[in-house]
Amino acid sequence: AHMFYLKTADLAERSQLLAHLKKNEILAVFHYVPLHSAQAGLQLGCFNGEDSYTTTESERLVRLPMWFGITQAEQQQVIDVVNEFYA
């Protein structure tokens, strides 16, 4: 595994969750910017068809902290803070 992520209900919930994690000194980030909306994609590419899912789904992703050497206590802190948010 190279990442653990959560999928929130929408962009507003993702923003609130990220703020809650940050307030608790946990760095988490959104994970995925669709290529068609990234700077290089806007300059060099084009989007064909209808964007039925890509942008909406990308706005829901939160990448949780993970690194070599993360302790069980640190993992539990992330779990507890995420559970606190959704309680």
Side-chain angles (χ1 to χ4, degrees):
H2 71 282
M3 106 175 92
F4 291 100
Y5 67 91
L6 296 175
K7 218 173 200 188
T8 61
D10 53 31
L11 178 58
E13 183 179 299
R14 180 183 81 179
S15 298
Q16 293 168 359
L17 175 57
L18 289 173
H20 181 73
L21 290 166
K22 184 177 182 179
K23 181 180 79 173
N24 286 277
E25 299 181 359
I26 296 172
L27 177 62
V29 296
F30 59 88
H31 171 70
Y32 174 75
V33 176
L35 183 56
H36 69 272
S37 60
Q39 186 175 6
L42 291 169
Q43 291 175 353
L44 304 172
C46 65
F47 190 88
N48 293 311
E50 186 177 333
D51 183 5
S52 300
Y53 304 103
T54 306
T55 298
T56 302
E57 293 303 309
S58 73
E59 292 175 344
R60 297 175 58 202
L61 292 172
V62 173
R63 189 175 71 210
L64 296 176
M66 186 178 85
W67 64 90
F68 181 78
I70 187 172
T71 66
Q72 287 187 347
E74 291 166 329
Q75 292 173 45
Q76 191 61 54
Q77 180 187 9
V78 173
I79 293 165
D80 291 343
V81 171
V82 168
N83 284 334
E84 176 184 89
F85 176 79
Y86 285 105

